[in-house]
Amino acid sequence: MQSVSPRVRALLAAVLCVVIALGAALAVDSRLDRHWILRGLTLFLALCCAALLLTDQSRQFRLVITAIGLLMFGLVFPVTTTIWATPPEIDFALAVATDAKNAAVKDARSAVTVADVKAAAEARGGAVGSLKTEKSPQVRGADAFPLIVRAKPDQGRPRACVSFVHGLDAEVRAC
């Protein structure tokens, strides 16, 4: 790679980082909170590492540090945040949101109701609302959006929150 000028290396590294960051962001379901701040920060750091390649690399040590930073911020962080974006409780909530939307569309309604989400969660073997315990005897998140969706009726945490904005557009996030 010594035959390629530092400017070309920096440009190629920057383009590769942007492509990986965009691919990782688009690989996640659009109904999820995509952690845009974290993704933007890692892209910024990757581009900073690529910019370091523009400078004259007189020491091998600086080149190694720049390459490791580019690898971490340009590849490892975007890929791992994409892989970790859908744990099992989020997958369950996404399936419930899809079922609730399908029920509303089937009934020719322009909005998903709390009853649609409850029916979809129960049909998949889950429950809506926080788990009632001695410590917190009041059930939360069962009457209005955002609803707390649990994959199993006796599961306390982890859980996900589902809301519907603009009628049929679901938003799912950890809660």
Side-chain angles (χ1 to χ4, degrees), residues 12-33:
L12 289 174
V15 168
L16 183 64
C17 289
V18 170
V19 168
I20 290 171
L22 289 174
L26 294 174
V28 179
D29 194 309
S30 64
R31 298 173 289 181
L32 292 175
D33 171 15

PDB file of all heavy atoms in Angstrom, residues 12-33:
ATOM      1  N   LEU A  12     -10.204   6.765   0.114  1.00  0.00           N
ATOM      2  CA  LEU A  12     -10.763   5.412   0.079  1.00  0.00           C
ATOM      3  C   LEU A  12     -11.267   4.982   1.455  1.00  0.00           C
ATOM      4  O   LEU A  12     -12.341   4.388   1.578  1.00  0.00           O
ATOM      5  CB  LEU A  12      -9.735   4.410  -0.444  1.00  0.00           C
ATOM      6  CG  LEU A  12      -9.399   4.505  -1.923  1.00  0.00           C
ATOM      7  CD1 LEU A  12      -8.259   3.552  -2.274  1.00  0.00           C
ATOM      8  CD2 LEU A  12     -10.621   4.205  -2.767  1.00  0.00           C
ATOM      9  N   ALA A  13     -10.498   5.289   2.494  1.00  0.00           N
ATOM     10  CA  ALA A  13     -10.915   4.932   3.850  1.00  0.00           C
ATOM     11  C   ALA A  13     -12.179   5.682   4.242  1.00  0.00           C
ATOM     12  O   ALA A  13     -13.093   5.106   4.840  1.00  0.00           O
ATOM     13  CB  ALA A  13      -9.791   5.236   4.841  1.00  0.00           C
ATOM     14  N   ALA A  14     -12.256   6.956   3.910  1.00  0.00           N
ATOM     15  CA  ALA A  14     -13.448   7.748   4.239  1.00  0.00           C
ATOM     16  C   ALA A  14     -14.678   7.226   3.504  1.00  0.00           C
ATOM     17  O   ALA A  14     -15.755   7.083   4.099  1.00  0.00           O
ATOM     18  CB  ALA A  14     -13.209   9.217   3.902  1.00  0.00           C
ATOM     19  N   VAL A  15     -14.543   6.918   2.229  1.00  0.00           N
ATOM     20  CA  VAL A  15     -15.664   6.388   1.450  1.00  0.00           C
ATOM     21  C   VAL A  15     -16.109   5.044   2.011  1.00  0.00           C
ATOM     22  O   VAL A  15     -17.307   4.781   2.168  1.00  0.00           O
ATOM     23  CB  VAL A  15     -15.289   6.277  -0.049  1.00  0.00           C
ATOM     24  CG1 VAL A  15     -16.318   5.460  -0.813  1.00  0.00           C
ATOM     25  CG2 VAL A  15     -15.153   7.664  -0.653  1.00  0.00           C
ATOM     26  N   LEU A  16     -15.153   4.178   2.351  1.00  0.00           N
ATOM     27  CA  LEU A  16     -15.484   2.873   2.923  1.00  0.00           C
ATOM     28  C   LEU A  16     -16.224   3.026   4.250  1.00  0.00           C
ATOM     29  O   LEU A  16     -17.208   2.326   4.500  1.00  0.00           O
ATOM     30  CB  LEU A  16     -14.208   2.051   3.109  1.00  0.00           C
ATOM     31  CG  LEU A  16     -14.413   0.637   3.643  1.00  0.00           C
ATOM     32  CD1 LEU A  16     -15.208  -0.200   2.637  1.00  0.00           C
ATOM     33  CD2 LEU A  16     -13.077  -0.013   3.944  1.00  0.00           C
ATOM     34  N   CYS A  17     -15.793   3.956   5.090  1.00  0.00           N
ATOM     35  CA  CYS A  17     -16.461   4.189   6.378  1.00  0.00           C
ATOM     36  C   CYS A  17     -17.895   4.669   6.180  1.00  0.00           C
ATOM     37  O   CYS A  17     -18.807   4.221   6.875  1.00  0.00           O
ATOM     38  CB  CYS A  17     -15.693   5.214   7.208  1.00  0.00           C
ATOM     39  SG  CYS A  17     -14.135   4.573   7.832  1.00  0.00           S
ATOM     40  N   VAL A  18     -18.104   5.577   5.248  1.00  0.00           N
ATOM     41  CA  VAL A  18     -19.453   6.081   4.986  1.00  0.00           C
ATOM     42  C   VAL A  18     -20.343   4.955   4.453  1.00  0.00           C
ATOM     43  O   VAL A  18     -21.489   4.797   4.880  1.00  0.00           O
ATOM     44  CB  VAL A  18     -19.418   7.272   4.006  1.00  0.00           C
ATOM     45  CG1 VAL A  18     -20.812   7.645   3.543  1.00  0.00           C
ATOM     46  CG2 VAL A  18     -18.742   8.471   4.661  1.00  0.00           C
ATOM     47  N   VAL A  19     -19.830   4.133   3.550  1.00  0.00           N
ATOM     48  CA  VAL A  19     -20.605   3.021   2.998  1.00  0.00           C
ATOM     49  C   VAL A  19     -20.975   2.030   4.099  1.00  0.00           C
ATOM     50  O   VAL A  19     -22.127   1.586   4.192  1.00  0.00           O
ATOM     51  CB  VAL A  19     -19.828   2.324   1.852  1.00  0.00           C
ATOM     52  CG1 VAL A  19     -20.463   0.997   1.472  1.00  0.00           C
ATOM     53  CG2 VAL A  19     -19.760   3.242   0.644  1.00  0.00           C
ATOM     54  N   ILE A  20     -20.021   1.670   4.952  1.00  0.00           N
ATOM     55  CA  ILE A  20     -20.298   0.733   6.046  1.00  0.00           C
ATOM     56  C   ILE A  20     -21.305   1.336   7.024  1.00  0.00           C
ATOM     57  O   ILE A  20     -22.237   0.653   7.457  1.00  0.00           O
ATOM     58  CB  ILE A  20     -18.991   0.335   6.765  1.00  0.00           C
ATOM     59  CG1 ILE A  20     -18.153  -0.544   5.839  1.00  0.00           C
ATOM     60  CG2 ILE A  20     -19.281  -0.397   8.071  1.00  0.00           C
ATOM     61  CD1 ILE A  20     -16.754  -0.813   6.351  1.00  0.00           C
ATOM     62  N   ALA A  21     -21.151   2.607   7.371  1.00  0.00           N
ATOM     63  CA  ALA A  21     -22.075   3.247   8.309  1.00  0.00           C
ATOM     64  C   ALA A  21     -23.495   3.296   7.745  1.00  0.00           C
ATOM     65  O   ALA A  21     -24.463   3.010   8.454  1.00  0.00           O
ATOM     66  CB  ALA A  21     -21.590   4.654   8.645  1.00  0.00           C
ATOM     67  N   LEU A  22     -23.633   3.659   6.474  1.00  0.00           N
ATOM     68  CA  LEU A  22     -24.960   3.694   5.861  1.00  0.00           C
ATOM     69  C   LEU A  22     -25.561   2.300   5.741  1.00  0.00           C
ATOM     70  O   LEU A  22     -26.748   2.098   6.005  1.00  0.00           O
ATOM     71  CB  LEU A  22     -24.891   4.368   4.490  1.00  0.00           C
ATOM     72  CG  LEU A  22     -24.659   5.867   4.501  1.00  0.00           C
ATOM     73  CD1 LEU A  22     -24.475   6.382   3.078  1.00  0.00           C
ATOM     74  CD2 LEU A  22     -25.792   6.597   5.187  1.00  0.00           C
ATOM     75  N   GLY A  23     -24.750   1.328   5.354  1.00  0.00           N
ATOM     76  CA  GLY A  23     -25.238  -0.053   5.263  1.00  0.00           C
ATOM     77  C   GLY A  23     -25.698  -0.578   6.606  1.00  0.00           C
ATOM     78  O   GLY A  23     -26.740  -1.235   6.716  1.00  0.00           O
ATOM     79  N   ALA A  24     -24.936  -0.292   7.657  1.00  0.00           N
ATOM     80  CA  ALA A  24     -25.315  -0.741   8.996  1.00  0.00           C
ATOM     81  C   ALA A  24     -26.587  -0.050   9.464  1.00  0.00           C
ATOM     82  O   ALA A  24     -27.457  -0.681  10.077  1.00  0.00           O
ATOM     83  CB  ALA A  24     -24.171  -0.475   9.976  1.00  0.00           C
ATOM     84  N   ALA A  25     -26.734   1.230   9.170  1.00  0.00           N
ATOM     85  CA  ALA A  25     -27.939   1.957   9.594  1.00  0.00           C
ATOM     86  C   ALA A  25     -29.176   1.456   8.863  1.00  0.00           C
ATOM     87  O   ALA A  25     -30.248   1.327   9.454  1.00  0.00           O
ATOM     88  CB  ALA A  25     -27.757   3.453   9.339  1.00  0.00           C
ATOM     89  N   LEU A  26     -29.038   1.146   7.593  1.00  0.00           N
ATOM     90  CA  LEU A  26     -30.177   0.680   6.809  1.00  0.00           C
ATOM     91  C   LEU A  26     -30.517  -0.787   7.065  1.00  0.00           C
ATOM     92  O   LEU A  26     -31.617  -1.236   6.753  1.00  0.00           O
ATOM     93  CB  LEU A  26     -29.923   0.908   5.325  1.00  0.00           C
ATOM     94  CG  LEU A  26     -29.831   2.377   4.910  1.00  0.00           C
ATOM     95  CD1 LEU A  26     -29.435   2.490   3.452  1.00  0.00           C
ATOM     96  CD2 LEU A  26     -31.129   3.114   5.183  1.00  0.00           C
ATOM     97  N   ALA A  27     -29.591  -1.535   7.653  1.00  0.00           N
ATOM     98  CA  ALA A  27     -29.834  -2.951   7.929  1.00  0.00           C
ATOM     99  C   ALA A  27     -30.774  -3.154   9.111  1.00  0.00           C
ATOM    100  O   ALA A  27     -31.319  -4.229   9.291  1.00  0.00           O
ATOM    101  CB  ALA A  27     -28.514  -3.663   8.199  1.00  0.00           C
ATOM    102  N   VAL A  28     -30.976  -2.121   9.904  1.00  0.00           N
ATOM    103  CA  VAL A  28     -31.835  -2.210  11.087  1.00  0.00           C
ATOM    104  C   VAL A  28     -33.260  -1.836  10.694  1.00  0.00           C
ATOM    105  O   VAL A  28     -33.476  -0.943   9.879  1.00  0.00           O
ATOM    106  CB  VAL A  28     -31.306  -1.277  12.193  1.00  0.00           C
ATOM    107  CG1 VAL A  28     -32.185  -1.321  13.415  1.00  0.00           C
ATOM    108  CG2 VAL A  28     -29.890  -1.645  12.553  1.00  0.00           C
ATOM    109  N   ASP A  29     -34.226  -2.515  11.288  1.00  0.00           N
ATOM    110  CA  ASP A  29     -35.643  -2.256  11.025  1.00  0.00           C
ATOM    111  C   ASP A  29     -35.958  -0.775  11.251  1.00  0.00           C
ATOM    112  O   ASP A  29     -35.541  -0.192  12.252  1.00  0.00           O
ATOM    113  CB  ASP A  29     -36.499  -3.121  11.955  1.00  0.00           C
ATOM    114  CG  ASP A  29     -37.940  -3.182  11.526  1.00  0.00           C
ATOM    115  OD1 ASP A  29     -38.538  -2.111  11.297  1.00  0.00           O
ATOM    116  OD2 ASP A  29     -38.483  -4.296  11.432  1.00  0.00           O
ATOM    117  N   SER A  30     -36.696  -0.172  10.362  1.00  0.00           N
ATOM    118  CA  SER A  30     -36.960   1.270  10.425  1.00  0.00           C
ATOM    119  C   SER A  30     -37.816   1.657  11.621  1.00  0.00           C
ATOM    120  O   SER A  30     -37.873   2.824  11.987  1.00  0.00           O
ATOM    121  CB  SER A  30     -37.640   1.736   9.137  1.00  0.00           C
ATOM    122  OG  SER A  30     -38.906   1.117   9.004  1.00  0.00           O
ATOM    123  N   ARG A  31     -38.497   0.706  12.251  1.00  0.00           N
ATOM    124  CA  ARG A  31     -39.326   1.017  13.409  1.00  0.00           C
ATOM    125  C   ARG A  31     -38.523   1.142  14.689  1.00  0.00           C
ATOM    126  O   ARG A  31     -39.044   1.543  15.718  1.00  0.00           O
ATOM    127  CB  ARG A  31     -40.402  -0.057  13.588  1.00  0.00           C
ATOM    128  CG  ARG A  31     -41.349  -0.118  12.402  1.00  0.00           C
ATOM    129  CD  ARG A  31     -42.282  -1.271  12.508  1.00  0.00           C
ATOM    130  NE  ARG A  31     -41.532  -2.515  12.295  1.00  0.00           N
ATOM    131  CZ  ARG A  31     -42.083  -3.724  12.303  1.00  0.00           C
ATOM    132  NH1 ARG A  31     -43.358  -3.866  12.534  1.00  0.00           N
ATOM    133  NH2 ARG A  31     -41.351  -4.796  12.092  1.00  0.00           N
ATOM    134  N   LEU A  32     -37.248   0.821  14.627  1.00  0.00           N
ATOM    135  CA  LEU A  32     -36.406   0.869  15.817  1.00  0.00           C
ATOM    136  C   LEU A  32     -35.708   2.206  15.951  1.00  0.00           C
ATOM    137  O   LEU A  32     -35.395   2.867  14.975  1.00  0.00           O
ATOM    138  CB  LEU A  32     -35.334  -0.223  15.760  1.00  0.00           C
ATOM    139  CG  LEU A  32     -35.819  -1.651  15.860  1.00  0.00           C
ATOM    140  CD1 LEU A  32     -34.651  -2.594  15.674  1.00  0.00           C
ATOM    141  CD2 LEU A  32     -36.480  -1.897  17.190  1.00  0.00           C
ATOM    142  N   ASP A  33     -35.438   2.542  17.198  1.00  0.00           N
ATOM    143  CA  ASP A  33     -34.574   3.674  17.469  1.00  0.00           C
ATOM    144  C   ASP A  33     -33.189   3.238  17.010  1.00  0.00           C
ATOM    145  O   ASP A  33     -32.636   2.275  17.510  1.00  0.00           O
ATOM    146  CB  ASP A  33     -34.583   3.972  18.965  1.00  0.00           C
ATOM    147  CG  ASP A  33     -33.554   4.990  19.364  1.00  0.00           C
ATOM    148  OD1 ASP A  33     -33.026   5.679  18.481  1.00  0.00           O
ATOM    149  OD2 ASP A  33     -33.279   5.104  20.564  1.00  0.00           O
TER     150      ASP A  33
END
